[in-house]
Structures are given as structure tokens and as C-alpha cells.
Amino acid sequence: MERARRGEPEAQRALVERYQRPVFALLHRYRGPSAEVEDLAQETFLRVFRELPSFRPRGRARLSTWILTIATRLAIDAQRRADVRSRHEPDPPAAVVSPERLVERKSAAAAVAAAVSDLPEPFRAALVLRVYHDRSYREIADAMECDVGTAKSRVSRARRRLREALGEGMA
Amino acid sequence: MTEDELDQILETYEVPEPPAGFADRVMAAAHPRPARRWSATSWGVLAAAAVLALALALVGLWPTRPVTGALHARRRTEVTLGARGVAVAENGARLRWTVDGTRAEIEQSEGDVFYRVSPGQPFVVRTPEGDVRVRGTCFRVEVLEMNVSPQLFAGAAAGALVAGAVVVSVYEGEVAVQNEHGEVSVEAGERSVIEPSRAPSEPSDAPASLARRPRDPQTEAARDETPATRGIDEMDAPALRARLRSVAARSRERAHEVERLRGLLDDAELADPGRSRFFPASPADLRRWADACQLRLDQPPVMGIEPGRVGEHAETLELDPAEARAVQDAIERAHSSLTEDLRALYVEATGDVDGAAALSPRAMLAEIRDKAGTAEQHRNVMHRIARERAGLERPPPADAELSPSERAVRRYARVGDEFQERLARALGPERARELRARDEGWPWARSIFAGCDDD
């Protein structure tokens, strides 16, 4: 990491190759399949390169958590920009995945993807970090700049919404 | 739908691998080169490549996209690994896989997994201690845990894992077990143990109970096997040590479950409209919260590196412009005071002067708690404060020698009341109290710290 911190391209490339998988996974689950995922992933690593000199490896955050935190914040910012853009557009469909929609998608995995993407912010980011990246509540709280209790509540509420959405769809 | 069922469904949400060449594109963006003119030769090469790609696509030789997946089993779970493989993962096992055509690569980082693989292309199971290369067989891989730090049990940051051992038991056929120190071939009825920094052990006869081939995975998955007792009297020291570590890993799962239940409890409390109040709290409220080991804190936005803004809550609190300025000023003063106090405690607890200058109050509080105390001590302090507020316990005397960690937690817990006092000086006590009560507590940040040791 020291070499990457000094800006050596080979070390930076190794860092990208090591962490690109979790970063893409996080962004894909947060934003859904879209061309924007790669843009956000690229912006994540460019920001990692810029801010790496200030990262404290002996601090509380692991490098992986720190990188995922950057990706999360970029994703949330992108979502907010999209929300602003969509204010003048028709209302989005209801959050619940209907049985018909489930049949159309023909698979539980697609239904989960739809239900996760329908979760409102900030529940979605908290859930993705907890369920798919095994981050502790404290790490989620740091990434989302909220208290641990709030992070727990967000994950819990996200799970409840998913239970409702998926339970209804799969009943 | 139960929590377990939800977990199982969520695990089906797989995502594609990062696109090929992504690292190249990042590096190109990070280190841009001067643009160059395309020569006729370059265009020729490009055109030839396009024709070749089209030709490959037409004859079906263009590589197919690999299928990837991941599983953290919450109970015994069967997974299909492409066309050739089936895995039965026990509770606690962690797997990631990539199947590309008939080639498969599985990363098993934790737990106990039985595999059935048909002959064909390479099928590799990578474990923390070595790889198992398969030639068409039935076998079991147990990644036998890892010592786990107390901090990890408490749900704090990970990073203290110490490698354990891996046991490979073969039921049919033959596998190659290898790591950087050596390779052995293990046949049906044999077992090899891979321990850290050693070559895989020479194959030995597996205990009868381990060597017995499980029934068909579906039948096996339905069987209520008790891993903790399976063949335990036939195990040798390495296997027993490994089993012990595996049980420790399951304890960690239980610790996660406890943490999740606490979150659900918090949520249930918040969702109950009759019990969502933070302020004002009646003596009965304070007593009930203390009995439930709850400390409820409502606070201004002062935990970030910069003080927060009144923001949309000017509307929530129905502030006129002059009041909004007074509230913003109080936020900034509260942030400054809290930051200064926590910096002093942080330096006392850690000796890290540079860190104190750079960290947010939230980060300093967390580091003080992690480095100068334990999660259990932290909970105990929170519970004591809740009891003190309810009049069930006397606060410590002013000259008591409290640890930096306890003083930091107590400082943090005072933030909401202190903010009300600051506003009282600017707007008058009645108005400050009225503002705090308008939304049943300061609207910027609310936390419920819950949980007794015997929960």
C-alpha cells in the first residue's frame, strides 16, 4: 500500500485489481445494472488514489472498509442527483414487487434485485453494506455518517421492507 | 417470511464480475497520456480486430461471461456450481465461485462443505491454507477456524483473524491437495490436514464416520446431523483443535445474531408511537428505559468533522430567521466544545496528538472506546447513565477517577442537555425547552443504546 500511496502506477493497478470486485458488487447492488456503475467505480478508485496519502492504515477503518465508504458516498450522491432530476417526472412504481412483476422476472434473484433497488435511501446503502459486505454497524455508521443506533435501525427497516416486498411477491 | 428465509433469498442476488479491462481504464484516467494521432496502420489493426471479433462471434467462439456467486450459509444449503458440481454448505460456511464453461474455481474461506464433482475441466477449491484440485470425485473441505479476537466477538472491526487448519476428506475418486509447501494426492477413504506454514499432511485413513460418503446431497441436506458430535471420539489432536475453532466460528455467528436482534429491538421501540419519545421524559419513562437497559439520546449535529447545519429542521422547529441563526450558532459552539473535550480525552487515552487534530468527534469517541475500553464496558457505562437519570443509582462524585473511555461516553451523553442550556441562554429557558419538545427530542440525531449483559 505504501507504493500505491506514493502514486506508483503498478501498485495502484494492483489495488484496483484487488478491490474492484467488492466495489462493483456494492455499486451494482446499490444502483442496479447500469452504465453508471462503471463510471462510479472508476471515480471511486480515482478518489482512492487522491486520498490515499491521508488514509491512516493503523486507524480504525480497514482499507477495504475505507474504499467501500468512498464508493457508498459516491453512490448516495449520484442517487441524490438522480432524485433531483426525477422530481419533475412521473411518480415511480410502488415499492412492493407484485406477483405479476415476479412472474415477469421469473426468478427470485431478479425479484431480490428489484426489491433492493426499490429500497429508498438510506436503507439501501445500509442493507448492502451489512448483508453483502459483512460490515459491522459501526463501519456502516462511519460510512453513512450516522450513529450506530441509526445504522442498526436502517438495516432493520430495510430488512422489514424487503420481507414485506418479497413476502407479498412470493406468497 | 422468517429472517433465515430472507437471508437465503438475499443470497441469490448475484452480481456480474467487473468488466474486462476496467483496471486499464482506471489507470488511463489516473495517468493520462498525451493524445496521439491515429495512423493508417492503427486503423488497419483496429479494423482487423473488429473483423476477427465478428468472425469469432459468428462461429460461437467468443468467450462466454463467467458466472459468479457467493454464499454465506445460515443453515445447510445446496449450491449448484455450473454443470459439473454440487456443494452442500453447512451453517457458517462461506463460498465464492466462478464457473466459466466447465471450469470452476471456488474460494472457501470458512466452514464445512461437501462437494460432488463430475469429471471434466479443472475444478479447484481454494482455502486459506491451500488448494484442492479435483479430478471428479466426492470430498469434503472443512476450513477449521481461526482464533477470533474479543473485539470481533463484540462486533467491532475485524482484522484479527489467525489462520487455522483445513481438513480434506475424500469419499470417492482422488483429489490433489497443495499449497506453497507441497502437494499430496488423497484417495477415497483418506484425509489430509493442511496447517499454516506446512505442507499438506500425508494422507491417512479417515475415521470411519468421516470417510463414509454422505447420501445424495438432497438427502444429506435434510439430515439433522450434529457437526459438533460427528465422529468426535475418533478425531486426533489436529482435527479436535480444528473442531474447537469451528465451534468458535459458530459462536461468532451467534454474536452477530445477538447484534442483529438488538437492532430489531431498537427498531421495534422506535416504531411504537407510544414509546418513541426522547424528550421530555417523565420519571416513569426514565425508569422504564433504565429497566430495559436503554439510554435514549437526542442531539444536535455535532459528531462530524464540521458542525452540521440547522437545515430542513428550521422548518420542523418552526424557527424564525433570528432563531435559526441562534440555533446555528449554538450548534457550532456545541461542536467546538465537544471536539475540544474529546481531543483531550483522545490524547490521554491514545497519546496520538496528530490523530486528535484530524479526527471527527464521532471517530475520536469510537477510537477512545476501542483503544481504552471494551464494548462491554461501554454498554455498562451507558446502562449506569440510564439508571442515574432514572434516580436508581447515584452519579459518580465529581472527584471520582473515571477512565478516559467512561469520561468520553459521559461527555457524549450530555450533548443534548448541554445544547438545550446553550439555547436557553440565547432564547430563554422556556423557548429552548419548547423547541426540544416540539418533535419529542432534538430532530438531528437520535440514538437508543440498548442491551444488558444478560440479554
Side-chain angles (χ1 to χ4, degrees):
Chain A
M1 194 175 80
E2 275 307 312
R3 291 175 53 222
R5 194 196 291 271
R6 290 196 298 267
E8 292 184 22
E10 281 185 14
Q12 289 180 333
R13 173 186 291 277
L15 189 142
V16 174
E17 287 172 346
R18 180 167 179 185
Y19 292 104
Q20 60 178 346
R21 195 171 173 180
V23 166
F24 265 89
L26 182 144
L27 294 170
H28 186 96
R29 289 190 174 107
Y30 185 84
R31 297 288 293 162
S34 78
E36 193 183 19
V37 168
E38 180 166 347
D39 293 342
L40 287 169
Q42 179 165 309
E43 179 57 28
T44 297
F45 284 106
L46 294 178
R47 190 167 292 190
V48 165
F49 295 163
R50 281 201 302 273
E51 298 183 9
L52 200 53
S54 65
F55 175 68
R56 298 168 61 245
R58 291 183 182 175
R60 190 155 52 97
R62 288 177 282 167
L63 180 60
S64 61
T65 300
W66 182 69
I67 293 172
L68 289 180
T69 294
I70 290 173
T72 301
R73 290 179 182 170
L74 284 171
I76 290 173
D77 287 347
Q79 181 66 45
R80 286 177 182 154
R81 288 195 298 274
D83 288 345
V84 169
R85 282 198 301 273
S86 65
R87 274 183 193 167
H88 302 292
E89 295 171 2
D91 288 343
V96 169
V97 181
S98 67
E100 293 76 11
R101 208 169 161 198
L102 281 181
V103 170
E104 283 172 12
R105 290 189 166 109
K106 296 181 180 175
S107 76
V112 171
V116 170
S117 73
D118 283 344
L119 283 173
E121 185 49 41
F123 302 133
R124 197 187 329 153
L127 178 106
V128 169
L129 286 168
R130 179 69 181 166
V131 173
Y132 295 107
H133 296 274
D134 283 336
R135 299 298 123 167
S136 71
Y137 286 117
R138 185 173 303 148
E139 288 169 330
I140 295 169
D142 286 346
M144 301 189 70
E145 299 182 295
C146 64
D147 292 307
V148 172
T150 305
K152 286 181 182 178
S153 179
R154 286 173 179 174
V155 172
S156 171
R157 290 178 185 191
R159 293 179 65 89
R160 188 171 62 209
R161 282 168 180 259
L162 286 179
R163 266 201 308 277
E164 289 167 2
L166 295 169
E168 182 167 324
M170 294 177 175
Chain B
M1 181 186 299
T2 66
E3 289 292 323
D4 279 348
E5 287 168 341
L6 178 62
D7 284 332
Q8 294 289 324
I9 291 172
L10 290 176
E11 282 163 5
T12 64
Y13 186 4
E14 298 175 0
V15 294
E17 288 288 292
F22 172 70
D24 294 335
R25 291 192 284 282
V26 173
M27 296 312 295
H31 304 280
R33 291 179 179 176
R36 69 184 179 88
R37 294 173 62 86
W38 281 79
S39 66
T41 306
S42 301
W43 286 111
V45 169
L46 187 65
V51 169
L52 178 61
L54 179 62
L56 285 170
L58 289 173
V59 299
L61 293 178
W62 193 257
T64 55
R65 193 176 187 81
V67 176
T68 65
L71 171 72
H72 183 192
R74 311 287 188 191
R75 59 185 168 190
R76 184 173 297 169
T77 305
E78 182 179 332
V79 181
T80 301
L81 302 167
R84 293 174 50 219
V86 173
V88 179
E90 299 291 347
N91 179 25
R94 279 181 193 270
L95 293 176
R96 289 185 182 279
W97 61 88
T98 301
V99 180
D100 190 355
T102 58
R103 295 170 180 268
E105 184 171 315
I106 293 90
E107 184 183 316
Q108 180 181 337
S109 55
E110 287 182 43
D112 181 358
V113 182
F114 167 81
Y115 296 89
R116 184 183 65 202
V117 182
S118 304
Q121 295 290 308
F123 189 106
V124 182
V125 179
R126 300 197 187 282
T127 76
E129 300 306 331
D131 298 343
V132 183
R133 293 182 182 277
V134 182
R135 298 157 185 168
T137 180
C138 292
F139 63 104
R140 182 185 292 276
V141 177
E142 296 173 85
V143 177
L144 294 165
E145 252 299 10
M146 300 171 175
N147 295 323
V148 183
S149 73
Q151 286 80 7
L152 190 60
F153 270 110
L161 297 179
V162 177
V166 174
V167 179
V168 180
S169 306
V170 179
Y171 302 102
E172 283 182 9
E174 179 183 6
V175 305
V177 181
Q178 64 183 126
N179 63 12
E180 60 186 328
H181 303 287
E183 176 175 342
V184 296
S185 180
V186 186
E187 298 180 353
E190 292 181 335
R191 185 182 70 177
S192 175
V193 178
I194 325 175
E195 292 190 281
S197 306
R198 293 183 184 177
S201 70
E202 285 301 316
S204 60
D205 288 343
S209 59
L210 284 177
R212 186 179 63 243
R213 178 189 170 178
R215 286 167 279 179
D216 182 80
Q218 286 188 351
T219 311
E220 170 76 357
R223 188 158 60 94
D224 184 21
E225 184 184 44
T226 307
T229 58
R230 175 167 51 80
I232 201 165
D233 52 349
E234 299 171 75
M235 290 183 180
D236 52 17
L240 281 169
R241 191 182 308 122
R243 176 65 65 197
L244 180 62
R245 289 168 177 163
S246 182
V247 170
R250 291 190 180 95
S251 297
R252 187 182 60 179
E253 291 298 320
R254 298 300 297 269
H256 280 307
E257 180 66 7
V258 167
E259 193 178 2
R260 191 167 63 84
L261 286 171
R262 283 196 173 121
L264 288 171
L265 177 63
D266 291 350
D267 195 46
E269 295 280 355
L270 281 169
D272 183 347
R275 304 182 71 185
S276 62
R277 188 169 57 254
F278 283 71
F279 181 87
S282 69
D285 287 334
L286 293 170
R287 178 70 180 262
R288 191 172 65 248
W289 297 343
D291 287 345
C293 297
Q294 279 191 6
L295 178 63
R296 295 184 172 218
L297 301 178
D298 55 313
Q299 299 176 318
V302 293
M303 298 301 285
I305 195 82
E306 298 289 340
R309 311 295 300 172
V310 176
E312 64 187 17
H313 292 304
E315 198 171 318
T316 312
L317 298 174
E318 298 178 10
L319 302 174
D320 63 33
E323 285 182 326
R325 283 195 297 277
V327 171
Q328 184 62 47
D329 182 61
I331 289 171
E332 288 167 13
R333 288 171 187 273
H335 177 269
S336 171
S337 165
L338 178 68
T339 303
E340 186 179 331
D341 291 348
L342 288 181
R343 273 183 186 157
L345 289 166
Y346 180 82
V347 171
E348 183 181 341
T350 68
D352 180 4
V353 177
D354 292 341
L359 294 175
S360 67
R362 178 182 294 113
M364 284 191 285
L365 182 66
E367 290 217 16
I368 293 169
R369 187 175 54 205
D370 288 350
K371 292 179 177 173
T374 65
E376 184 183 350
Q377 288 167 347
H378 174 75
R379 275 205 310 278
N380 288 341
V381 173
M382 291 289 191
H383 188 200
R384 278 205 301 279
I385 296 171
R387 287 179 58 78
E388 290 164 16
R389 288 183 170 186
L392 298 172
E393 201 167 310
R394 284 175 182 276
D399 59 350
E401 289 189 6
L402 305 178
S403 68
S405 172
E406 177 159 357
R407 278 181 280 153
V409 171
R410 287 180 177 278
R411 177 67 184 86
Y412 168 68
R414 281 203 309 275
V415 166
D417 290 344
E418 185 196 69
F419 184 66
Q420 186 181 341
E421 291 161 13
R422 285 181 189 280
L423 272 186
R425 290 195 285 277
L427 303 176
E430 283 306 313
R431 181 61 176 151
R433 180 183 171 79
E434 184 186 322
L435 289 177
R436 191 174 183 182
R438 184 174 298 272
D439 197 32
E440 298 191 311
W442 297 124
W444 295 277
R446 297 182 183 190
S447 308
I448 296 179
F449 295 88
C452 297
D453 288 342
D454 57 354
D455 275 353

